[in-house]
Amino acid sequence: MKVESKNIIIDPGLAEEIKKRSGENVFLCYQCKKCAAGCPNRKFMDASPTELMRKVQLGMTDDAMKDNTIWYCLSCQTCTARCPQDIDIAHVVDTLRIIVQEKGVKADTKNSRLFNMIWMKMLRFTGRIYEVALTGMLNTFTGKPFKDMDLGIKMIKSGKLKLFPSIKRTSEMMKMFKRAKKLKK
Ligand code: SF4
Ligand code: SF4
């Protein structure tokens, strides 16, 4: 049952939905904060991974979906590796991203949703991330095509960025995406 008050929507169904889709039980979380302590992007997030888990447990759907946390997560899996309850937090975050996209929830994510979309498309077609194209596309789609160009040139010259992509196992990656699509159906 969904409960609405003036500022908050409580929807206990969110934890169930996540369990159904990912197999992860967020109610196992006892708020030890190990995930938050190890998260490399915590300082940019509205809520830490620990707080996100709590919001999902409490059914604070609106908050969990609109916070920038799920879009600022790097999928590095540090939280997953540190969790004493064996919760795959990165998988919970991924599942939330899918749910949010399906529901069309709007959030002030400062282009991170766009970044995520370009990232996934690039991974699908090239098998790995080609940073120069990723940055170029993101800048173009956000209306600042020349942003950080000086820095980019310096990084290419010093060998920190590769000018040309190294494409790996594209067909395997395409197969993987196709399999995932089939499974979803
Ligand atoms: S997977 Fe995401 S939430 Fe977990 S530690 Fe990495 S950045 Fe933080
Ligand atoms: S590490 Fe696991 S148990 Fe601890 S706060 Fe994070 S999700 Fe909860």
Side-chain angles (χ1 to χ4, degrees):
M1 187 183 66
K2 205 183 261 189
V3 181
E4 285 190 36
S5 77
K6 200 173 174 196
N7 300 315
I8 208 164
I9 300 173
I10 303 292
D11 178 10
L14 184 61
E16 276 309 311
E17 179 75 12
I18 288 173
K19 188 164 184 209
K20 202 164 82 186
R21 290 180 180 228
S22 67
E24 299 303 324
N25 181 2
V26 296
F27 290 110
L28 290 175
C29 168
Y30 54 63
Q31 296 286 290
C32 70
K33 298 188 181 167
K34 274 194 155 203
C35 51
C39 177
N41 238 14
R42 164 66 189 107
K43 69 174 173 180
F44 303 110
M45 294 171 170
D46 292 331
S48 73
T50 309
E51 288 160 349
L52 179 69
M53 297 300 275
R54 194 67 174 145
K55 286 182 180 189
V56 177
Q57 285 176 338
L58 293 173
M60 294 167 73
T61 307
D62 215 36
D63 260 35
M65 288 187 177
K66 285 187 178 164
D67 282 350
N68 67 15
T69 306
I70 58 171
W71 301 109
Y72 277 29
C73 165
L74 305 165
S75 304
C76 68
Q77 304 207 337
T78 307
C79 50
T80 300
R82 290 172 67 101
C83 179
Q85 292 291 79
D86 280 336
I87 305 169
D88 189 341
I89 303 143
H91 196 184
V92 172
V93 170
D94 263 344
T95 310
L96 267 168
R97 283 178 183 148
I98 294 167
I99 296 173
V100 165
Q101 306 235 49
E102 284 175 359
K103 289 187 186 293
V105 177
K106 298 260 181 295
D108 178 18
T109 51
K110 295 196 182 113
N111 301 324
S112 42
R113 189 190 293 222
L114 176 65
F115 178 90
N116 190 266
M117 193 194 78
I118 299 172
W119 176 284
M120 291 307 287
K121 291 257 183 265
M122 194 167 280
L123 203 59
R124 180 176 188 164
F125 293 110
T126 67
R128 64 183 304 166
I129 298 305
Y130 172 34
E131 290 90 349
V132 173
L134 175 72
T135 316
M137 277 194 243
L138 188 66
N139 286 349
T140 306
F141 288 134
T142 52
K144 298 172 195 155
F146 303 111
K147 184 173 171 268
D148 297 328
M149 190 168 257
D150 292 352
L151 180 65
I153 291 170
K154 271 188 207 157
M155 288 176 79
I156 290 169
K157 278 185 181 164
S158 65
K160 289 200 166 74
L161 270 184
K162 288 210 166 59
L163 186 55
F164 298 105
S166 72
I167 294 173
K168 299 251 169 166
R169 291 181 281 179
T170 321
S171 58
E172 283 174 41
M173 193 58 79
M174 299 273 262
K175 271 188 219 155
M176 205 174 83
F177 272 89
K178 264 189 197 157
R179 256 201 325 271
K181 208 171 172 184
K182 245 190 210 166
L183 281 173
K184 199 180 162 199
K185 276 184 188 162

